[in-house]
């Protein structure tokens, strides 16, 4: 009420408690890792359908099918960004290149220094989930996750590790880095699932 039309539209449809952020802040725990191309690989392991581990060098990973996804980003510290264009490899592409075994229900996305985030397989496999190498057509910068960051736009952004190194297929849920440290196991911003004390029975493993 009393707001200019454009401002009202801008504020429409953000998840509860979120506000828009101009620019692109850098938010993470710990140092920015240095990329060493000769030592870098991207692995899929755990309960794969054939029991094999999969690994791609940086060159191989860069040659995987490239898609773009445009989506909003919601940080649990309450800032949101609109319409970010990511480019990279869809989680779905990875799932078809390295299929999970039938009993897989969850995945852990692993990053440098042991950072991790757990997801339900269905969230991981969502159409907009992407291992981004680019933003707005430009390679990611080091502080934003170069060479690869995971983006799962329908969950809070901590569910998307920067500096990803692999994916573990799991037959049971296990908490990741922030999920062990007080953040919600599921992290749906539309349901404002910020903290683990808000979890309903069945929404996460015992703490
Ligand atoms: N490896 C790693 N990835 C991470 C984090 C982190 O601490 N470590 N923080 C997450 C959080 S809380 C947010 S909001 C986004 C921030 O991404 P940005 O710095 O590119 O804006 O990265 C996510 N990915
Ligand atoms: Mo965040």
């Amino acid at each position: 009420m009393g707001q200019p039309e454009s401002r009202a539209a801008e504020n429409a449809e953000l998840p509860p408690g979120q506000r828009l952020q101009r620019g692109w802040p850098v938010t993470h725990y710990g140092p920015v890792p240095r990329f060493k191309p000769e030592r870098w690989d991207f692995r899929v392991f755990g309960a794969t359908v054939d029991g094999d581990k999969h690994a791609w060098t940086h060159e191989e990973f860069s040659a995987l099918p490239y898609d773009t996804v445009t989506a909003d980003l919601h940080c649990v510290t309450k800032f949101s960004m609109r319409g970010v264009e990511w480019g990279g490899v869809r989680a779905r592409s990875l799932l078809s290149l390295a299929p999970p075994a039938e009993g897989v229900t969850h995945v852990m996305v692993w990053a440098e220094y042991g950072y991790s985030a757990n997801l339900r397989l269905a969230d991981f496999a969502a159409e907009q989930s992407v291992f981004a190498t680019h933003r707005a057509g430009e390679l990611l910068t080091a502080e934003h996750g170069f060479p690869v960051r995971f983006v799962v736009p329908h969950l809070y952004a901590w569910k998307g590790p920067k500096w990803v190194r692999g994916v573990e297929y799991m037959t049971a849920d296990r908490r990741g880095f922030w999920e062990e440290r007080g953040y919600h196991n599921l992290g749906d911003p539309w349901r404002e699932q910020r903290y683990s004390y808000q979890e309903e029975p069945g929404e996460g493993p015992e703490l």
Side-chain angles (χ1 to χ4, degrees), residues 34-41 56-59 165:
R34 181 128 51 94
F35 175 57
K36 301 184 191 83
E38 67 292 346
R39 294 189 44 197
W40 191 92
D41 62 3
W56 292 266
T57 64
H58 186 243
E59 201 179 340
R165 290 295 300 277

Side-chain angles (χ1 to χ4, degrees), residues 59-151:
E59 201 179 340
E60 289 164 346
F61 192 87
S62 305
L64 294 180
Y66 182 93
D67 288 305
T68 60
V69 167
T70 300
D72 298 348
L73 180 145
H74 309 296
C75 173
V76 71
T77 63
K78 301 199 168 176
F79 76 83
S80 289
M81 289 161 56
R82 285 238 199 251
V84 187
E85 188 203 290
W86 304 103
V89 182
R90 275 184 207 273
R92 285 187 176 182
S93 306
L94 209 71
L95 285 165
S96 58
L97 290 164
E102 217 169 272
V104 170
T105 54
H106 293 80
V107 309
M108 191 75 79
V109 178
W110 286 101
E112 301 285 358
Y113 302 134
Y115 185 88
S116 60
N118 60 316
L119 297 126
R120 296 180 291 198
L121 182 61
D123 287 322
F124 179 76
E127 187 169 1
Q128 292 199 305
S129 298
V130 61
F131 290 93
T133 53
H134 292 70
R135 192 218 167 180
E138 309 253 326
L139 273 180
L140 293 174
T141 58
E143 66 268 27
H144 287 300
F146 178 83
V148 181
R149 72 180 289 163
F150 187 55
V151 178

